[in-house]
Amino acid sequence: MRARRHPLRIVAVAGLLSLATGAHGRDAPPPRTLPANVQADVVAIAEHLAQVQEVDATLACGKAVDNARHGVETMLEVAEKNRRDGYMTQAAYEAMAPALQSLLGVLTVPDCEAATGTRRDFYQCMSSDYNHVVACGKAHPFEP
């Protein structure tokens, strides 16, 4: 049986939205909420991170992979901290973390070097230090 794979856009956006909103699962809501002004800041930051900042970066596979992996690893770390601190439910964490963890196995220099089409466009986007993995995944979704 083949595991279900999600396009990068879905993985990236789901990860970012879960961090921005506290991602309530179908279980009870998390016991802690952010103050309204902090939540507004979180939403504004998430919206900014979801937009490509530099469009015409030159493809540099080492840098692109480092940037993409760092972005995914940071999202996982923040999600884990939010789960531990009660801002995210265990169910919400379990719903988004495996997809991000599996994405780490795909983001490699050889994958970048062999990439064509939208996948290459994603890596080119990630070659800029100004772009976030969510923005590039949203602009250039590919099947991991």
Side-chain angles (χ1 to χ4, degrees):
M1 177 180 203
R2 194 179 125 150
R4 185 171 174 202
R5 301 178 93 176
H6 301 286
L8 179 60
R9 174 186 293 189
I10 294 171
V11 172
V13 172
L16 183 63
L17 290 177
S18 68
L19 300 179
T21 64
H24 302 272
R26 291 197 172 138
D27 54 348
R32 299 179 74 184
T33 58
L34 295 172
N37 61 331
V38 175
Q39 182 62 38
D41 288 345
V42 169
V43 170
I45 291 168
E47 288 172 358
H48 177 75
L49 291 176
Q51 296 175 16
V52 173
Q53 303 300 313
E54 184 179 351
V55 178
D56 295 326
T58 301
L59 179 62
C61 285
K63 179 186 251 189
V65 170
D66 285 347
N67 286 344
R69 291 182 61 83
H70 177 74
V72 172
E73 289 166 350
T74 299
M75 289 168 61
L76 283 165
E77 289 170 10
V78 171
E80 173 61 26
K81 182 175 183 335
N82 285 344
R83 185 202 57 76
R84 256 191 343 264
D85 293 347
Y87 292 104
M88 175 183 273
T89 64
Q90 181 68 31
Y93 178 80
E94 290 172 359
M96 56 81 61
L100 289 174
Q101 291 164 338
S102 69
L103 183 58
L104 287 174
V106 174
L107 299 172
T108 64
V109 171
D111 185 64
C112 175
E113 292 170 343
T116 60
T118 306
R119 196 176 196 110
R120 184 189 185 286
D121 294 341
F122 166 79
Y123 281 115
Q124 183 173 348
C125 181
M126 287 308 308
S127 294
S128 169
D129 290 331
Y130 297 104
N131 294 334
H132 191 273
V133 68
V134 171
C136 293
K138 185 176 161 189
H140 310 288
F142 66 88
E143 196 69 35

